[in-house]
Amino acid sequence: MCLKRNLLFFISLLLLFSSCSVKKKTNNYGRGNAVLTDASEARGIDYSKSSLDSYADLLHVKRKELNPNLYSFIDEWMGIPHRMGGATKKGVDCSGFVGMLYLKVYKEDLPRSSRDMSVVVKNKRTAQLKEGDLVFFSFGGRNIDHVGVYLHNNKFVHVSTKKGVIISDLADSWYSKYFTNAGSPKS
């Protein structure tokens, strides 16, 4: 009886501290150095050459405009599957990924959940966003339940429940429908 109660308590904590709303896993291992994207304008284009060049092509910017540390981190995690409450390369959820990215790339510690992250940002309009800003979504109703990191030209990196760590476009209908707010973490 005690074992069941402890197991139930552990599962409850796991669900409480995770923030992505859907619990599906993916299997995107073995993608190599390819940049994964589901952005509508990028479908059918091969982004498998040198990573920074691929990111520059996808984001429509010059290579020198990119933060190499950010894209190196993204490269390490590209295609890792979604796992509710996860924070390892076996599986990661959206807020776990964003929290680790911020700690490694920007040396900033963020709250664990996407909802709590949204409270510690200085809100910006989409046109004001800069590389590294946070973008928030509400797929399940009123509350924020998903977070990603803005890159350039409406593109952001996040953990898709179906495709794992991937780059998507805020302007695509699915994301624009559920986009809630965005901003820079307050220092």
Side-chain angles (χ1 to χ4, degrees):
M1 186 67 161
C2 187
L3 180 61
K4 283 184 182 179
R5 195 172 17 232
N6 286 342
L7 182 60
L8 191 60
F9 177 73
F10 175 75
I11 291 171
S12 298
L13 280 177
L14 185 64
L15 291 173
L16 177 66
F17 289 110
S18 60
S19 64
C20 294
S21 61
V22 182
K23 300 177 186 179
K24 293 180 184 177
K25 291 182 184 178
T26 62
N27 216 356
N28 290 329
Y29 295 112
R31 299 286 184 159
N33 290 328
V35 175
L36 301 178
T37 181
D38 64 358
S40 59
E41 69 173 55
R43 291 186 187 128
I45 300 173
D46 180 16
Y47 293 105
S48 60
K49 61 185 175 188
S50 166
S51 292
L52 223 45
D53 290 333
S54 289
Y55 288 115
D57 288 348
L58 172 64
L59 302 172
H60 306 294
V61 296
K62 294 179 179 156
R63 183 182 170 140
K64 66 182 180 181
E65 294 178 51
L66 303 177
N67 174 343
N69 293 328
L70 173 61
Y71 296 93
S72 174
F73 182 88
I74 293 169
D75 247 7
E76 288 177 34
W77 288 83
M78 189 62 67
I80 298 297
H82 175 267
R83 178 180 284 167
M84 183 70 116
T88 70
K89 293 205 176 159
K90 289 184 179 180
V92 65
D93 68 12
C94 63
S95 59
F97 173 73
V98 169
M100 289 184 292
L101 181 151
Y102 251 79
L103 195 56
K104 183 162 185 184
V105 176
Y106 300 109
K107 311 297 185 240
E108 288 186 46
D109 198 16
L110 294 175
R112 177 60 174 98
S113 77
S114 56
R115 191 171 304 126
D116 291 341
M117 286 179 190
S118 72
V119 175
V120 299
V121 297
K122 178 182 176 188
N123 289 334
K124 291 181 172 182
R125 291 188 308 268
T126 308
Q128 298 172 309
L129 294 176
K130 303 270 187 246
E131 183 182 81
D133 286 340
L134 302 180
V135 291
F136 298 97
F137 303 85
S138 179
F139 295 124
R142 286 193 156 117
N143 293 326
I144 289 172
D145 54 16
H146 190 66
V147 63
V149 176
Y150 188 81
L151 300 174
H152 290 272
N153 295 315
N154 282 330
K155 307 295 188 298
F156 66 103
V157 64
H158 67 118
V159 182
S160 163
T161 55
K162 292 181 180 176
K163 300 174 184 174
V165 177
I166 193 165
I167 295 173
S168 299
D169 193 321
L170 287 172
D172 284 348
S173 61
W174 174 257
Y175 297 107
S176 66
K177 179 179 177 180
Y178 296 105
F179 177 73
T180 305
N181 69 320
S184 303
K186 300 172 187 170
S187 300

